[in-house]
Short mmCIF file of all heavy atoms in Angstrom, two decimals:
data_model
loop_
_atom_site.label_atom_id
_atom_site.label_comp_id
_atom_site.label_asym_id
_atom_site.label_seq_id
_atom_site.Cartn_x
_atom_site.Cartn_y
_atom_site.Cartn_z
N SER A 6 -37.92 -130.33 -17.83
CA SER A 6 -38.02 -129.05 -18.63
C SER A 6 -37.21 -127.95 -18.07
O SER A 6 -36.54 -127.34 -18.87
CB SER A 6 -39.50 -128.70 -18.83
OG SER A 6 -39.57 -127.44 -19.55
N PHE A 8 -34.60 -128.21 -16.05
CA PHE A 8 -33.19 -128.63 -16.16
C PHE A 8 -32.66 -128.30 -17.61
O PHE A 8 -31.58 -127.86 -17.83
CB PHE A 8 -33.07 -130.02 -15.79
CG PHE A 8 -31.57 -130.44 -15.81
CD1 PHE A 8 -30.69 -130.03 -14.96
CD2 PHE A 8 -31.11 -131.18 -16.83
CE1 PHE A 8 -29.37 -130.44 -14.92
CE2 PHE A 8 -29.83 -131.77 -16.94
CZ PHE A 8 -28.90 -131.20 -16.04
N LEU A 15 -27.11 -121.89 -19.82
CA LEU A 15 -25.70 -122.02 -19.35
C LEU A 15 -24.85 -122.22 -20.60
O LEU A 15 -23.75 -121.54 -20.72
CB LEU A 15 -25.46 -123.18 -18.41
CG LEU A 15 -24.12 -123.47 -17.98
CD1 LEU A 15 -23.62 -122.11 -17.18
CD2 LEU A 15 -23.95 -124.54 -17.04
N GLY A 16 -25.17 -122.93 -21.57
CA GLY A 16 -24.49 -123.19 -22.80
C GLY A 16 -24.36 -121.92 -23.62
O GLY A 16 -23.24 -121.56 -24.14
N ASN A 25 -16.73 -113.30 -26.74
CA ASN A 25 -16.22 -111.96 -26.21
C ASN A 25 -14.69 -112.05 -26.06
O ASN A 25 -14.02 -111.14 -26.45
CB ASN A 25 -16.98 -111.64 -24.88
CG ASN A 25 -16.58 -110.32 -24.34
OD1 ASN A 25 -16.40 -109.33 -25.23
ND2 ASN A 25 -16.40 -110.18 -23.17
N LYS A 29 -12.14 -110.04 -28.62
CA LYS A 29 -11.20 -108.97 -28.21
C LYS A 29 -9.78 -109.31 -28.51
O LYS A 29 -9.01 -108.52 -28.85
CB LYS A 29 -11.37 -108.78 -26.74
CG LYS A 29 -12.61 -107.96 -26.38
CD LYS A 29 -12.68 -107.62 -24.89
CE LYS A 29 -13.95 -106.94 -24.54
NZ LYS A 29 -13.96 -106.85 -23.01
N LEU A 30 -9.44 -110.48 -28.44
CA LEU A 30 -8.12 -111.02 -28.71
C LEU A 30 -7.73 -110.94 -30.15
O LEU A 30 -6.64 -110.46 -30.53
CB LEU A 30 -8.00 -112.50 -28.26
CG LEU A 30 -6.57 -113.05 -28.23
CD1 LEU A 30 -5.68 -112.27 -27.37
CD2 LEU A 30 -6.56 -114.53 -27.82
N PHE A 32 -9.91 -109.70 -33.01
CA PHE A 32 -10.59 -108.87 -33.91
C PHE A 32 -10.55 -107.43 -33.49
O PHE A 32 -11.25 -106.59 -34.22
CB PHE A 32 -12.07 -109.37 -34.20
CG PHE A 32 -12.13 -110.80 -34.82
CD1 PHE A 32 -12.65 -111.71 -34.02
CD2 PHE A 32 -11.61 -110.99 -36.05
CE1 PHE A 32 -12.70 -113.09 -34.52
CE2 PHE A 32 -11.67 -112.29 -36.49
CZ PHE A 32 -12.16 -113.23 -35.85
N ARG A 34 -9.00 -103.74 -32.90
CA ARG A 34 -8.07 -102.97 -33.71
C ARG A 34 -6.90 -102.60 -32.80
O ARG A 34 -6.98 -102.53 -31.58
CB ARG A 34 -8.64 -101.76 -34.26
CG ARG A 34 -9.43 -100.85 -33.32
CD ARG A 34 -9.98 -99.63 -34.08
NE ARG A 34 -9.47 -98.36 -33.62
CZ ARG A 34 -10.00 -97.70 -32.51
NH1 ARG A 34 -11.08 -98.14 -31.95
NH2 ARG A 34 -9.48 -96.63 -32.19
N LEU A 70 -0.15 -97.25 -17.07
CA LEU A 70 -1.26 -96.22 -16.99
C LEU A 70 -1.28 -95.47 -18.29
O LEU A 70 -0.25 -94.86 -18.69
CB LEU A 70 -0.98 -95.29 -15.84
CG LEU A 70 -2.03 -94.32 -15.55
CD1 LEU A 70 -3.34 -94.88 -15.21
CD2 LEU A 70 -1.57 -93.31 -14.58
N GLN A 79 0.50 -109.67 -19.84
CA GLN A 79 1.43 -110.73 -19.52
C GLN A 79 2.54 -110.64 -20.63
O GLN A 79 2.31 -110.53 -21.71
CB GLN A 79 0.85 -112.07 -19.41
CG GLN A 79 -0.16 -112.34 -18.32
CD GLN A 79 -0.61 -113.75 -18.20
OE1 GLN A 79 -0.35 -114.59 -18.96
NE2 GLN A 79 -1.40 -113.87 -17.20
N VAL A 80 3.77 -110.75 -20.03
CA VAL A 80 4.94 -110.67 -20.99
C VAL A 80 5.95 -111.74 -20.68
O VAL A 80 5.83 -112.52 -19.70
CB VAL A 80 5.60 -109.22 -20.72
CG1 VAL A 80 4.78 -108.06 -21.03
CG2 VAL A 80 6.15 -109.10 -19.38
N TYR A 88 11.49 -103.68 -18.59
CA TYR A 88 10.64 -102.53 -18.10
C TYR A 88 11.03 -102.08 -16.76
O TYR A 88 11.40 -102.90 -15.97
CB TYR A 88 9.07 -103.15 -18.05
CG TYR A 88 8.55 -103.52 -19.36
CD1 TYR A 88 8.35 -104.85 -19.75
CD2 TYR A 88 8.30 -102.49 -20.34
CE1 TYR A 88 7.86 -105.18 -20.94
CE2 TYR A 88 7.71 -102.96 -21.56
CZ TYR A 88 7.47 -104.28 -21.90
OH TYR A 88 7.06 -104.62 -23.09
N THR A 93 8.42 -94.24 -19.19
CA THR A 93 7.27 -93.59 -20.07
C THR A 93 7.54 -93.88 -21.51
O THR A 93 8.78 -94.01 -21.85
CB THR A 93 7.03 -92.15 -19.83
OG1 THR A 93 8.27 -91.40 -20.10
CG2 THR A 93 6.63 -91.89 -18.39
N LEU A 96 2.71 -96.82 -25.98
CA LEU A 96 2.33 -98.08 -25.85
C LEU A 96 1.47 -98.55 -27.03
O LEU A 96 0.51 -97.71 -27.36
CB LEU A 96 1.47 -98.31 -24.55
CG LEU A 96 0.89 -99.63 -24.22
CD1 LEU A 96 1.98 -100.77 -23.99
CD2 LEU A 96 -0.08 -99.56 -23.04
N TRP A 98 -0.99 -101.76 -28.31
CA TRP A 98 -1.49 -103.10 -27.99
C TRP A 98 -2.74 -103.37 -28.99
O TRP A 98 -3.30 -102.49 -29.57
CB TRP A 98 -2.00 -103.10 -26.57
CG TRP A 98 -3.14 -102.20 -26.23
CD1 TRP A 98 -4.49 -102.72 -26.02
CD2 TRP A 98 -3.25 -100.94 -26.02
NE1 TRP A 98 -5.31 -101.65 -25.76
CE2 TRP A 98 -4.62 -100.46 -25.62
CE3 TRP A 98 -2.30 -99.86 -25.92
CZ2 TRP A 98 -5.00 -99.18 -25.41
CZ3 TRP A 98 -2.69 -98.51 -25.63
CH2 TRP A 98 -4.14 -98.26 -25.43
#
Side-chain angles (χ1 to χ4, degrees):
S6 175
F8 181 74
L15 181 61
N25 182 41
K29 285 182 181 177
L30 187 63
F32 300 112
R34 54 183 240 269
L70 183 63
Q79 289 187 358
V80 297
Y88 297 107
T93 59
L96 177 67
W98 74 97

